[in-house]
Structures are given as structure tokens and as C-alpha cells.
Amino acid sequence: VANTFGEARTMKISPLLALLLLTASPLAAAPAANPVAAAVAAPDRPADQVELDAGRKPVEVLTFFGLKPGDRVLDVMAGGGYYTEIMARAVGPKGYVMALEPPQFVKTDKAKAAWDALIERDKNVGLMLMSPQNVALAPDSYDFVLMHLVYHDAYWESAKYDFKRMDPATFLKVVFSATKPGGIVGVVDHVGQPADDTRATVDKLHRMDPAVIKADFLAAGFVFEGESAVLANPADDHKTLVFDPAIRGKTDRVVYKFRRPKG
């Protein structure tokens, strides 16, 4: 430090003062980076996936669910791998993501090439081609399970897409067993109106009553940990097909967090 005469003068700092200065510095006080945010911001994600971020809000959704580095993850009916890649990067090299996808949805050259490229970019990703109607999963395998816009398909069937009728209770029994005690299942789905026939509503609109989702998971043995309104849209009338251009990507969506009890 220089005095008023410009002479250099040494200042002695006690160990306690040094510790206080260090802990008070902005660098030391800066919070740890959110691994999900870092994964979403990665520059090499496909452009068509990045375009979906604004409507899906993956940082807010996965942060609410509590995804963390090192988690072993199951991405149920992963589609084009949008969440698979984000989660793989967020859980890091000590974590793993298994994408479950019906084989008939990964039969085109384009779909195969997209998955091959994803797995090449992210070495901690696996692809399980298996129909959810008869999926077999090892017990206590996953810290985190994601069902993004797919749980309603447990009530769907389609001859056109070779998607056979499922029993939701049987499916959730398998998922419960595969989730580690204390593990999380995150569910995002399109909100539908209460209906006497859930299958009819799903077939017509690809929506379902959130109360049915909650009741199904509670009956399977999960406990309800909470919900987020991050994807809520009060302007959605719940009566429009989710693929209609007027509402696609902007539906009112429920975000539910369930946990398998440790006991």
C-alpha cells in the first residue's frame, strides 16, 4: 500500500482477517453452476431441439424435479431424445441415461441416424428398444425416471402405429420396482378435463385429467412430492387436440413430482 509520500509500505493481515476477506469475495460467494442450465446451453445441441426450449422450459422443469449429477436415469418413451441428451449432460460422466422407446418409432433411417448421432455425442446414453406394454426393467435401477408428455399413452392404443393397449397399473408396477427407494419420477403431461372415460379422452385429444395421473401413481405406491406451475397455460381450454397448430407446444401442462418411499 502506498502512503501519502508515495513510499511502499507493507500491511500485515492476520489469518482471521484473511479468511473473512476470502469468504466475502464475490468469487468465493458465487453459487455453483446449475448443471441442467449448462447442459441446455451447450452449443452442439441440434437446432431443432433448441427451438423447443422456450416452450418446454427444461431448466426449470428438471431443477424442480431435482435431477443431479451422478443420477442413473430412465427416459420413458424418449421420442427424439430431447430430454435424453439434456439429462445425460446434466448427470455427467458418473451418471447414465437409458432411453426407452418403442422399436416401431425408431425404424426410419432418419430416426436411426439421429439416435446414433446422439449416442456418439453423449457416451453415457443407452437406447432400449422395447414396447412399454411388456417392458422388463431390473429392480432398483434408477435414481430418476422421466415421463415427458407420455404417461397418457398408458391409456392409448393405435393400430396405425402398432401401439397396443396397455394396463396402466401393470406398467407403473414395473416402474415402481425399477425406481430406487427414495428415487424420483417426474411426470409432465397435457391437461385434460375430468372425464368418465380416460381412454376416450386420450384417444381424441392426447390429454388426461391430472387427478387420474395422481391417483394412478399413489395406487402404485409412490408418494406425491409436489407440483410446479411452470408449464401452466390458463388460456388453454383443454378441449383442443394437442397437435393442433393453434395450441401445439403451448398446452396447459401438469408437472408432478413423485417419490418411491425408502421404507
Side-chain angles (χ1 to χ4, degrees), residues 107-178:
K107 65 181 182 181
T108 67
D109 290 342
K110 181 179 179 181
K112 292 175 183 177
W115 274 106
D116 287 345
L118 191 159
I119 293 171
E120 178 63 26
R121 289 192 301 270
D122 302 285
K123 306 301 185 183
N124 60 341
V125 167
L127 177 61
M128 182 190 303
L129 296 177
M130 188 177 294
S131 299
Q133 294 88 342
N134 53 13
V135 65
L137 302 171
D140 303 341
S141 297
Y142 299 103
D143 302 288
F144 180 77
V145 179
L146 179 67
M147 298 186 193
H148 178 254
L149 304 180
V150 297
Y151 182 65
H152 67 267
D153 289 331
Y155 287 87
W156 181 59
E157 58 184 307
S158 171
K160 177 181 178 180
Y161 294 103
D162 191 26
F163 197 88
K164 296 178 174 55
R165 187 183 184 94
M166 293 175 62
D167 176 49
T170 300
F171 174 65
L172 286 185
K173 183 178 180 180
V174 174
V175 173
F176 183 90
S177 174

Side-chain angles (χ1 to χ4, degrees), residues 45-56 82:
R45 291 177 58 216
D48 60 336
Q49 304 282 16
V50 174
E51 289 177 0
L52 300 173
D53 292 346
R56 294 186 174 183
Y82 171 86

Side-chain angles (χ1 to χ4, degrees), residues 12-85:
K12 293 184 178 180
I13 301 176
S14 70
L16 177 59
L17 179 58
L19 178 62
L20 290 173
L21 289 172
L22 177 62
T23 56
S25 71
L27 181 61
N34 183 334
V36 178
V40 171
D44 61 337
R45 291 177 58 216
D48 60 336
Q49 304 282 16
V50 174
E51 289 177 0
L52 300 173
D53 292 346
R56 294 186 174 183
K57 301 183 180 179
V59 176
E60 294 89 335
V61 169
L62 292 177
T63 300
F64 169 71
F65 287 146
L67 182 74
K68 60 188 184 299
D71 275 354
R72 296 185 67 83
V73 178
L74 177 67
D75 190 1
V76 178
M77 289 187 273
Y82 171 86
Y83 263 113
T84 302
E85 183 152 42

Side-chain angles (χ1 to χ4, degrees), residues 9 18-19 31 63 86 90 93 126 131 133 177 185 187 196 219 222 232 243:
R9 185 170 61 189
L19 178 62
T63 300
I86 292 172
S131 299
Q133 294 88 342
S177 174
V185 178
V187 180
D196 294 331
F222 292 98
F243 304 119

